[in-house]
């Protein structure tokens, strides 16, 4: 099996999620080649063939031109699958490529199951396993679901890609930062997050009190935000904020992939959960097996002294 990996380049920088594509290909047991619309100054550490197109010429993003570049690489390599990160770049470009190739598409893969692809269903409360019917397929992987096992290494074997023309009805004009609302968790050194395990909205202030005692900020998992217990500006995860505090305390959070992707770069992780087998325990430095609403008030009292 061969995979064509589509790297990402934004505002003059190679995105780290590019390396997750290689991790996915390795777990799939596929040989890989990579395509990047970027620059010679920001090449990935990758021991394989890299098709490089100049972002200064084709834009950091232009769906018309980038689709043509992907199709040109497909023609050269004849891959079994074309893999994108499930980002604004990937979810816009992948369907265009799939239609052009008349190939099946599987979006936001979170795991592999005996060669088939696992994706979330029912607001990530369930998972389903799917297998494309087409011989060739286009895939997008959830950011954070396939982290590299070590530091990326290698020097790519460069091959330039050029199009015969650069005419396009679409013009890339730049990026516009989203308006910042509420708390900016990305700058917090301590975050204490409430999960569904806190039980009800009236219990959230108990978690907020611990955050205050530790001199940190209140965070939350997606179910808590969806239930209206905490404002979305406090959400940690792929659909919230990505954080890297010195201390992260997860209160009643099971550890869904989307949440882990948003906080796994924390220096030290404490998880408080009555389920000793909760997935978050696998990445926590300390797992406290206890009822959150019994443990947290006692912990807060100790911290406040």
């Amino acid at each position: 099996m061969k995979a064509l990996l589509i790297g990402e380049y934004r505002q003059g920088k190679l995105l780290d999620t590019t390396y997750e594509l290689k991790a996915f290909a390795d777990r799939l047991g596929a040989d890989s080649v990579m395509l990047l619309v970027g620059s010679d100054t920001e090449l990935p550490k990758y021991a394989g063939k890299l098709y490089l197109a100049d972002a200064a010429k084709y834009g950091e993003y232009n769906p018309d031109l980038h689709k043509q570049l992907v199709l040109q690489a497909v023609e050269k390599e004849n891959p079994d699958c074309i893999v994108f990160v499930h980002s604004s770049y990937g979810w816009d470009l992948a369907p265009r490529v799939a239609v052009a190739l008349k190939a099946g598409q599987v979006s936001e893969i979170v795991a592999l199951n005996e060669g088939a692809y696992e994706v979330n269903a029912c607001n990530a409360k369930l998972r389903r396993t799917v297998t494309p019917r087409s011989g060739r397929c286009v895939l997008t992987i959830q950011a954070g679901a396939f982290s590299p096992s070590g530091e990326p290494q290698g020097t790519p074997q460069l091959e330039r890609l050029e199009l015969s023309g650069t005419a396009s009805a679409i013009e890339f004009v730049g990026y516009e930062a989203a308006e910042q609302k509420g708390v900016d968790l990305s700058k917090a050194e301590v975050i204490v997050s409430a999960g569904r395990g806190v039980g009800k909205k009236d219990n959230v202030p108990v978690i907020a009190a611990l955050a205050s005692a530790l001199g940190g900020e209140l965070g939350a998992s997606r179910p808590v935000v969806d239930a209206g217990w905490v404002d979305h500006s406090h959400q940690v995860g792929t659909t919230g904020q990505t954080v890297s505090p010195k201390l992260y305390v997860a209160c009643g959070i099971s550890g869904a992939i989307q949440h882990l992707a948003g906080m796994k770069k924390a220096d030290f992780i404490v998880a408080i959960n009555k389920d000793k087998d909760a997935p978050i325990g696998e990445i926590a430095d300390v797992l406290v097996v206890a009822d959150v609403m019994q443990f947290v008030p006692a912990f807060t009292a100790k911290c406040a002294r």
Side-chain angles (χ1 to χ4, degrees), residues 180-193 211 216-221 225 230-237 240-248 259 262:
Q180 186 65 48
K181 297 180 180 179
V183 63
D184 183 2
L185 295 178
S186 65
K187 297 179 181 177
E189 294 192 348
V190 177
I191 298 173
V192 181
S193 283
E217 298 284 356
L218 175 68
S221 64
V225 172
V230 175
D231 184 76
H232 181 266
S233 63
H234 293 268
Q235 183 176 328
V236 175
Q241 298 188 51
T242 299
V243 300
S244 53
K246 293 181 178 178
L247 172 64
Y248 189 87
H259 188 81

Side-chain angles (χ1 to χ4, degrees), residues 23-236:
F24 172 79
D26 289 344
R27 293 182 201 180
L28 191 61
D31 296 326
S32 67
V33 295
M34 187 178 291
L35 164 64
L36 178 69
V37 184
S39 165
D40 293 78
T41 61
E42 280 285 325
L43 297 178
K45 296 176 182 178
Y46 173 70
K49 184 185 290 185
L50 172 67
Y51 290 99
L52 181 67
D54 188 0
K57 184 175 182 180
Y58 300 111
E60 288 196 3
Y61 187 55
N62 182 306
D64 286 346
L65 301 180
H66 286 213
K67 182 185 76 171
Q68 292 180 52
L69 289 165
V70 173
L71 295 178
Q72 188 177 126
V74 168
E75 185 175 354
K76 288 176 175 288
E77 292 294 333
N78 191 30
D80 299 286
C81 58
I82 300 94
V83 191
F84 298 81
V85 175
H86 194 73
S87 61
S88 55
Y89 181 94
W91 68 57
D92 186 56
L93 189 55
R96 300 171 188 265
V97 172
V99 170
L101 294 173
K102 297 182 179 179
Q105 179 179 335
V106 182
S107 296
E108 201 169 6
I109 297 166
V110 298
L112 293 172
N113 185 353
E114 298 181 354
Y117 308 115
E118 284 192 10
V119 297
N120 286 324
C122 300
N123 200 20
K125 293 180 176 62
L126 299 173
R127 286 187 183 181
R128 57 193 177 97
T129 302
V130 297
T131 304
R133 290 184 176 180
S134 58
R136 175 181 285 155
C137 58
V138 176
L139 312 173
T140 68
I141 61 171
Q142 186 185 83
F146 299 92
S147 297
S149 57
E151 285 295 317
Q153 295 182 350
T155 302
Q157 304 157 20
L158 278 184
E159 183 168 329
R160 307 283 177 175
L161 275 190
E162 296 282 349
L163 297 177
S164 57
T166 58
S168 172
I170 299 172
E171 178 186 0
F172 177 74
V173 296
Y175 302 94
E176 182 176 335
E179 181 183 352
Q180 186 65 48
K181 297 180 180 179
V183 63
D184 183 2
L185 295 178
S186 65
K187 297 179 181 177
E189 294 192 348
V190 177
I191 298 173
V192 181
S193 283
R196 187 162 34 198
V198 304
K200 57 184 178 180
K201 183 176 182 179
D202 291 346
N203 290 337
V204 172
V206 174
I207 310 303
L210 176 58
S212 179
L214 293 173
E217 298 284 356
L218 175 68
S221 64
R222 179 172 177 172
V224 168
V225 172
D226 287 349
W229 299 355
V230 175
D231 184 76
H232 181 266
S233 63
H234 293 268
Q235 183 176 328
V236 175

Side-chain angles (χ1 to χ4, degrees), residues 4-15:
L4 172 62
L5 313 177
I6 313 301
E8 290 196 35
Y9 177 89
R10 186 180 303 162
Q11 295 180 294
K13 298 292 183 182
L14 176 76
L15 299 192

